[in-house]
Amino acid sequence: MNCFLRNIVWYLFILSYSFLLQAQQELVRLVYPRQNMLLTTNDSTLVLGQIQFPNSKLFINDQRVVTTQDGAFIGYIGIDHEKIGADSSFILECKVEAADSTYALNRQVKIPLSFRFSDSAKAFIDRNYLFPRDSNWLHAGDRISLKCRATSRASVTYSVINSDGTVIKKDQVMLESMSEHDLDESAFGIGKHSKQLRVTGVYSTDYIIDDLCKNAVIRFYVKHGHDTVYADAPGRISAWDDRDTRVVELVNDVNNATVDPGRAYYYFLPKGIRCAVDGKIGNQIRLRLSANHSAWLPEKNAGYLPMGTPTPMTIVPLIRVKKIGQKSEIQVIMSEKIPFRVEQTGERQLQLSLFGGVSDTDWIRFDNKNDEVKNISWSQPENDVYRLTVDLKEPHHWGYETAYDGTNLVWTIRHKPK
């Protein structure tokens, strides 16, 4: 009988404890990141969720996270690499201080490429950290970054081998480098940081693509003591054949493009713009905006036009300017939709660059009185780049908008409201 009562007591204790855990998880909701999720960065992570306590304080890994009146929160948490487990696991410790009570929720995530090497004398290569990882079709003379991770203070070389076994480059030396830089309070706020270990064993170099590359593989060799190991990078390299150059038309309403694959957005291109494609890495294609400018975006954002479609180029014969309320509408007359970029180059100055534009501009016409625009001028800084410069009378504009009306580009600049 006593044994039966003890079992009942233990069962009730476990049941109540599980209810308590569930209640805490409901009171502290961490929507992102999910449990055991593999993060895409290794210096910080976005946190997103909600707490159910008014007038309380939220801490995640001892970093204060500000909440709104209804308990919602969003913020960034630096990753301390000294607290990453051997299996790449990292714990986000969520703690809420409300009145005299404390509520907690732990969330485990995975940090990418966080493996640490031992000081073993045996040669080793990390087959999960070999670059390039994607197939590359680039012009001869283009540079590509090569990286591998292996035993520290080893002799590391690489060779470039075509799919038919032809060796293009042999035993090229790679140098060991340190890990990425630390991000401090300037990124995460006062008292917040991303503490990273100085990871050794990362070897890198640049390879200039040879025009003989045909589905070539990068093979890394690691020699340490009497041991030698090798491994092939998963990506392949092929020299771009200009006969493969195609013209595409962008299909999304807004197409965010970068100056390098996977980097920050730099170009924001509307639907219908046409560009020549002269390179590809994985699922990213390189748009040739002009002879000296290019942009990268996902291949799914573009539709290929028939072979033989000419490279987009347009003449700019006329600029028309109209004042509409507290806005100046600048219409650029063209025969084709081409890429562009707007930049603020001074306190009172904006510039519009048209890639693939050629000037035949004899007229810049003001359709009505405009007391907000001081001057408009055009220039041709490159053979295939047309530039329009607008000088404003007031030091601050209130934003701008660019959109195509047919093939004409309409650039609207908002002025200070009355």
Side-chain angles (χ1 to χ4, degrees), residues 313-317 332-338 404 406-408:
M313 184 74 69
T314 186
I315 303 298
V316 184
V332 185
I333 307 301
M334 299 186 296
S335 60
E336 191 164 1
K337 293 181 179 180
I338 57 175
Y404 273 101
T407 58
N408 297 330

Side-chain angles (χ1 to χ4, degrees), residues 315-319 333 358-364 378 386 388:
I315 303 298
V316 184
L318 173 66
I319 306 295
I333 307 301
V358 177
S359 175
D360 189 28
T361 309
D362 291 328
W363 298 93
I364 297 179
W378 67 266
Y386 177 95
L388 196 64

